[in-house]
Amino acid sequence: MRFAFSEEQEELRGVVRRLLERRGGPVVGEPEEVAEGFDREVWSQLAEQVGAHSLGIPEEFGGGGFSLLETLIVVEELGRRLSDIPFLSSAVLAAEALLATGNAEACERLLPGIASGETIAALAWAEPGTGWRTDGFSTTATDDGGLTGRKAHVLDGAQADVLLVLATRDGEPVLFETDAAAAVATTPLDLTRRMAEVHLDGTPARPVGALPVQRLVDVAAAAVAAESVGAAQRWLHETVEYTKMRTQFGRPIGSFQALKHRLADCYVAVESARSLSYAASWAVATHDERASELAAMAKSACTEAHYAIAAEGVQLHGGIGITWEHEAHLQLKRAHAATQLFGTPSAHRATLLHA
């Protein structure tokens, strides 16, 4: 497949990158603390100056009328800077979940706020012990719309204004809208990505509609793949530059043949991952018949490539690479957490094997 981004898409990438280079890094607190907030100025600038939140939302619902492909370009750039703004949870997952239900009334009511950045929406999907399954949720809905159950690993749940919950009703997966007050922040491994748990006990909720969960799996996998490629690319560049400065035995360590081979392997890994990520982004955005296959391949390859490059970077940075003040530990934690998010590489490969 031959694929290339248009001039407009590359310009979008450049605008987002320049904005994030100025102040796009994560807000991290003291060791073992998770920052409750995020950079609201970056959030607002992306929404108001770039229109990033609205790219994948149709014009009829207050969006920019572009596609998920443009949205995932933004996601890649946010991953490049390990940005902690709730873009993935709100502008990608929640927006795509609403669109997938086909409920025009709910879309007209919720999507304009998501598109403008005024509303942060979070998707409560995973459950303790079962993860991001596609059916048979233990969270159930009663006839009057009350929800009972527990949700885990809810991205930006405690920062959200609206909570969208996947639950079982009459044996089918249905999306519900409820108050985000039920979300309680937790301490994740990756301190650049806030998570929450949600405990529901007859909690009042409004049904949005039946949700084809496989679409959500594909979108989530492609998005995390894009994030991982962005992070891996920049971290490899930072590591290569550092090996030109760090010296051992009177020489820059980057001049040692063994390290050149290791860095070359990292380069091959990130370039291969990038190709898979772009293929998955295109397929998922266009609803191609290969979307599920390519998204699963990309999620597996891209997160593993990022993890390998993050680990090499920690080692090649030496002593400074294991300090709290340096970015190295954030890269490693983000990479490890991304391999688990929305299904592990082995789970996605198992899906491919049985497809």
Side-chain angles (χ1 to χ4, degrees), residues 255-309:
S255 66
F256 299 145
Q257 193 69 21
L259 297 191
K260 290 180 180 180
H261 289 166
R262 287 163 61 177
L263 291 170
D265 289 342
C266 288
Y267 177 78
V268 171
V270 76
E271 288 303 307
S272 299
R274 187 205 311 280
S275 296
L276 268 175
S277 174
Y278 290 169
S281 294
W282 170 83
V284 173
T286 59
H287 296 264
D288 187 83
E289 61 181 10
R290 296 164 292 174
S292 296
E293 176 186 0
L294 288 169
M297 292 170 64
K299 172 62 167 63
S300 301
C302 296
T303 55
E304 288 186 336
H306 183 204
Y307 185 80
I309 292 166

Side-chain angles (χ1 to χ4, degrees), residues 211-228:
L211 182 64
V213 186
Q214 186 57 49
R215 170 65 180 172
L216 206 54
V217 172
D218 298 344
V219 170
V224 174
E227 268 194 350
S228 298

Side-chain angles (χ1 to χ4, degrees), residues 14 37 46 61-62 66 75 119 134 145 165 173 187 193 222 258 293 314 319-320 330 338 346 351:
L46 279 173
F61 302 130
F66 291 90
V75 169
T119 300
T134 58
V165 182
T187 303
R193 202 192 298 274
E293 176 186 0
V314 170
I320 195 173
L330 298 179
S346 59
T351 300

